[in-house]
Amino acid sequence: MRLVGAAGGSTHIPRRVLCAVARSPDLSADNCKMGITNRRSWEKSAENEEREKEAAAAAGRFAGVPEAEEGSDVDSDSDLETEGTHRLGELVKETLYLRSCRVHSVVPASCFLRQGSDPELNLRHRGLGPQGAQALASSLNSNPCVKRLDLRDNGLCGAGTEALASTLSKSSCICDVDLSENQLGAVGAQAICAALIANPTMQKVQLAGNGLEEQAAHYLAELLLAHTGLKSLDLSYNQLNDQAGETLGPALAENTGLIELNISWNHLRGPGAIAFARGLEANIFLRVLDISYNGFGDPGASAMGEALRTNNVLEELNMSNNRISAMGARSLGLGLRVNQTLRSLVEIQVNREFDDLASSVKAVLPGLCIKTAAHRVEYKKELLPVFRSSLPASAPK
């Protein structure tokens, strides 16, 4: 007699055993059934062990342990290993983030879970807050894919920035970060500047609209002095005043690396504007500078004119809406007559008294583009040809 096992095999039971079972009172039919059941359980256990061995072998392959398989295709196996390892990394990242969100009692950001291997993580306007930033910071450590981190307008405040600073200081992947409109204040500025100084891979930082004042300027000055790899810095829409200008000016003079600086919509006036202009005079790296909407006034314009006499690197300058009169514009223009590198002077307000100066600068710098406000185009006849060609056809001649 043969019994079919759970794994599909058969088991032979001798006839004399069956007869003994039939005659013996101790070996009832129930006991026979129990014996067969135990055998089936043993067969299932053996089958599970075999599957576990196969799973362990697969895990070993994912971890880089070679296992020879007859007739396997090397390229196909390599692709499968890469895909499996990548998916495993994503699962680890998601698990760490969700666990961290539970610890900090915050709702997970679904866009972070959908990010995958995208080099840009865009979480702007998500209302993360300090707690959400702490949850995010712990999971960013295990995510090597992110190159650009956008956290604009999330109310991080000082506490949230301090949590992120620890991650940014150690990251060798993130090179572009936007922390604008997060109410950083002096505490957040101190934390983020210290983190950036410790991370030489960071190249672009945006800190616009964070209420940065005089105290924060000291940390920013330290950043300018210490970080030679930073190429672009946005400090617009803050509250950097005269004292901040006096602090940032000398740091700008010593900076060796920054190419683009936006410090528009601040309060650089009087002595602060002059100190900042003197810093530009000594700088030999900066190529693009936006100091619009600061109130430089005529003293600041005069100082900028002196800076342009010496500076032979700057290519683009935006000085619009700085309360510069005709006298200040003339002082600025005298520096333009000597400068040989500036290609674009954006939206400086000109009037008829500036015409003669514009004509003389035209002869020295025929390629300079002077852009004026739309309501002043009636004076275009004395401006440079490159600007004249860009005027609307309806403009008066």
Side-chain angles (χ1 to χ4, degrees), residues 229-357:
L230 188 62
K231 303 302 180 184
S232 177
L233 179 61
D234 184 357
L235 299 175
S236 60
Y237 292 92
N238 281 293
Q239 300 175 25
L240 300 172
N241 56 14
D242 297 352
Q243 289 75 22
E246 293 177 344
T247 301
L248 293 174
L252 181 62
E254 298 295 330
N255 176 265
T256 56
L258 198 64
I259 295 177
E260 181 177 359
L261 174 61
N262 184 353
I263 199 168
S264 62
W265 290 93
N266 277 278
H267 308 299
L268 299 181
R269 302 167 184 167
I274 294 174
F276 188 85
R278 289 174 179 170
L280 175 64
E281 181 177 354
N283 184 280
I284 58 174
F285 285 88
L286 198 65
R287 296 184 180 181
V288 181
L289 176 61
D290 188 346
I291 52 175
S292 60
Y293 293 90
N294 266 285
F296 262 54
D298 291 343
S302 179
M304 286 297 297
E306 291 297 323
L308 292 175
R309 287 175 177 269
T310 305
N311 185 290
N312 59 358
V313 179
L314 192 67
E315 298 178 359
E316 298 181 19
L317 174 62
N318 188 343
M319 283 195 68
S320 62
N321 295 280
N322 266 290
R323 304 177 183 176
I324 301 174
S325 68
M327 182 179 297
R330 184 174 181 84
S331 299
L332 180 64
L334 292 174
L336 290 175
R337 294 179 64 178
V338 179
N339 184 282
Q340 298 292 323
T341 60
L342 198 66
R343 296 186 293 104
S344 176
L345 179 61
V346 182
E347 291 191 2
I348 182 172
Q349 298 287 342
V350 297
N351 53 28
R352 295 183 186 278
E353 297 180 21
F354 191 71
D355 288 351
D356 294 338
L357 184 58

Side-chain angles (χ1 to χ4, degrees), residues 5 26 58 78 93 96 101 120 122 148 178 216 221 245 253-255 262 369 392:
D26 296 331
S78 177
K93 179 194 72 173
L96 290 175
C101 287
E120 178 178 358
N122 188 337
R148 183 176 191 275
D178 187 351
E254 298 295 330
N255 176 265
N262 184 353
C369 176

Side-chain angles (χ1 to χ4, degrees), residues 115-198:
Q115 187 255 345
S117 59
D118 194 328
E120 178 178 358
L121 179 56
N122 188 337
L123 294 175
R124 59 168 56 192
H125 313 306
R126 296 288 174 174
L128 297 180
Q131 294 292 100
Q134 293 175 16
L136 178 66
S138 59
S139 57
L140 281 176
N141 289 324
S142 60
N143 190 341
C145 300
V146 178
K147 307 296 183 184
R148 183 176 191 275
L149 179 62
D150 188 346
L151 296 177
R152 177 184 288 263
D153 185 27
N154 272 286
L156 304 183
C157 301
T161 308
E162 287 179 323
L164 285 169
S166 177
T167 297
L168 293 177
S169 65
K170 303 173 185 177
S171 174
S172 59
C173 301
I174 301 176
C175 58
D176 182 350
V177 61
D178 187 351
L179 296 176
S180 301
E181 303 173 24
N182 273 295
Q183 308 167 31
L184 302 188
V187 174
Q190 181 180 18
I192 197 66
C193 287
L196 296 177
I197 291 174

Side-chain angles (χ1 to χ4, degrees), residues 8-61:
S10 61
T11 303
H12 176 73
I13 301 177
R15 181 181 298 278
R16 63 177 176 274
V17 174
L18 294 175
C19 293
V21 169
R23 291 193 302 270
S24 174
D26 296 331
L27 296 179
S28 60
D30 293 338
N31 289 335
C32 290
K33 291 180 181 179
M34 182 179 297
I36 294 173
T37 302
N38 289 339
R39 179 175 181 83
R40 289 177 178 176
S41 299
W42 178 84
E43 290 176 351
K44 288 183 179 180
S45 177
E47 184 179 357
N48 291 337
E49 289 181 3
E50 186 65 25
R51 290 179 178 176
E52 289 178 1
K53 290 180 181 180
E54 293 178 359
R61 289 196 296 273

